[in-house]
Amino acid sequence: MTRAVCPGSFDPVTHGHLDVIKRTVRIVDDVLVAVGTNISKNALFTSNERVEMLTEECAQWSNVEVTLFEGLLVDFCTANDIDIISKGLRAADLGYELQMAQMNRQLTGVDTIFLPTAPQWAFVSSSLVREVATLGGDVTAFLPERIAARTMERVASRDAGTARDV
Ligand code: PNS
């Protein structure tokens, strides 16, 4: 039985992320979607909100579980009997993703598979979505409907000065 993790910050989850999860589901028996914190990014949603949103979106697959993770991804993999890290790969991310995959393999031997991002989502990233939404642009094409609505609501409430847990 092969178990893979799809890790990410998913802030917010995009159609591109869900496409990678869907394709991973076809390759392995079990998928854990692990919501982590990228310490170099300012979060729009709390980690619990991101888990909640992903859990709703992933309910369509019976072999996908969504969970939080903290600390090193390789430690999460060891603790959860994960064989493979599965990640979407955009051309621009190759250098950094390769470096992380090699570091992770060096640390515990866990390997990474890269799925080329679907061409229609190749330009979509959560960071760009946050930037476009923050500056008043329409992000509905890049996100599931409920996530787009929550993203626009969050940006509006943040602009209005609502306190948030990040
Ligand atoms: O969606 P992102 O921001 O690309 O996700 C990045 C994430 C959270 C998967 C990555 O930052 C990560 O693996 N963080 C855990 C800490 C860790 O293991 N760091 C060493 C990486 S070699």
Side-chain angles (χ1 to χ4, degrees), residues 11-138:
D11 185 39
V13 59
T14 67
H15 285 313
H17 292 130
L18 291 170
D19 178 64
V20 169
I21 295 167
K22 178 175 81 185
R23 288 156 66 197
T24 306
V25 161
R26 291 194 200 127
I27 298 171
V28 301
D29 301 300
D30 264 340
V31 178
L32 266 175
V33 176
V35 178
T37 302
N38 187 329
I39 52 177
S40 60
K41 294 179 182 170
N42 279 329
L44 183 63
F45 291 102
T46 67
S47 41
N48 285 328
E49 286 172 325
R50 285 178 267 145
V51 167
E52 178 202 319
M53 289 188 280
L54 267 160
T55 302
E56 272 182 27
E57 298 303 326
C58 293
Q60 59 189 301
W61 299 295
S62 58
N63 58 342
V64 176
E65 198 184 316
V66 181
T67 183
L68 265 181
F69 86 99
E70 283 176 355
L72 283 177
L73 180 59
V74 290
D75 291 339
F76 176 86
C77 291
T78 305
N80 290 280
D81 291 324
I82 301 283
D83 310 292
I84 292 168
I85 299 168
S86 175
K87 292 197 117 183
L89 188 65
R90 293 169 299 212
D93 302 330
L94 178 62
Y96 183 54
E97 289 293 345
L98 191 59
Q99 194 182 5
M100 282 203 289
Q102 288 167 329
M103 175 60 83
N104 285 333
R105 181 145 187 256
Q106 184 66 33
L107 289 172
T108 62
V110 68
D111 230 325
T112 299
I113 57 168
F114 292 121
L115 300 176
T117 307
Q120 69 269 39
W121 310 124
F123 61 96
V124 176
S125 69
S126 297
S127 320
L128 266 188
V129 164
R130 290 197 301 275
E131 181 171 331
V132 171
T134 299
L135 297 173
D138 182 0

